[in-house]
Amino acid sequence: FVAWREQHELEPLLMEHQLVSEQMRVGGTVDLLARVDGRVSVIDFKTSNRVYESHVVQLAAYRALLEEHGHEVDEVRVVLLPRDPAVEHEGERVLTDTRHALNVFQAARALYEAQREMEAIQRGDRRRQKAEPKPLPEPDINWDRFKN
């Protein structure tokens, strides 16, 4: 962390901050919301060898949570921390556009809810059954880019 910190101007805004979204029906704990080199960043620290897409999806959800609670966010950052203290900063990934990652999160959340509903129906659990399945959120995809 120290090596990463020395490379940036950092002004912490929120640390280990828990948020809940009634709209998205999810909650989470944001590692750090900070102004990094003048830009408001949601930062998640990972002890991993590389940045996985699941990290980006998680940060897209955190960004949506923060924005729902009135925080402006310019970008998200996954900062890789070495497992070995003798090794310096491993790297980071910075994204400004997280719309597609948020689509993945919303689709996964809708799939999870549909699966739980199906399991409740199979068990005959009337308390968990809903009258109508919830429609999937409309993805924010520019289909024109797939045309020839």
Side-chain angles (χ1 to χ4, degrees), residues 13-34 40-43 58-73 76 105 109:
L13 303 171
L14 298 171
M15 292 183 288
E16 289 294 321
H17 191 72
Q18 293 181 352
L19 293 168
V20 174
S21 169
E22 298 301 326
Q23 180 183 350
M24 294 191 323
R25 297 187 59 206
V26 70
T29 303
V30 175
D31 284 355
L32 181 63
L33 179 68
V40 177
S41 304
V42 182
I43 304 167
Q58 178 186 9
L59 278 169
Y62 285 168
R63 180 183 196 163
L65 277 166
L66 285 159
E67 288 174 345
E68 184 179 322
H69 287 272
H71 299 278
E72 290 186 27
V73 176
V76 301
F105 174 81
R109 179 71 185 152

Side-chain angles (χ1 to χ4, degrees), residues 29-97:
T29 303
V30 175
D31 284 355
L32 181 63
L33 179 68
R35 196 171 310 281
V36 179
D37 302 326
R39 299 181 55 81
V40 177
S41 304
V42 182
I43 304 167
D44 202 31
F45 297 101
K46 298 290 186 189
T47 53
S48 175
N49 293 330
R50 68 184 188 98
V51 176
Y52 293 94
E53 293 309 310
S54 61
H55 299 155
V56 175
V57 170
Q58 178 186 9
L59 278 169
Y62 285 168
R63 180 183 196 163
L65 277 166
L66 285 159
E67 288 174 345
E68 184 179 322
H69 287 272
H71 299 278
E72 290 186 27
V73 176
D74 297 318
E75 62 192 14
V76 301
R77 291 173 179 258
V78 179
V79 177
L80 299 178
L81 300 177
R83 293 173 193 226
D84 181 354
V87 176
E88 289 197 20
H89 168 57
E90 294 285 326
E92 70 183 313
R93 184 164 171 194
V94 181
L95 292 166
T96 55
D97 185 354

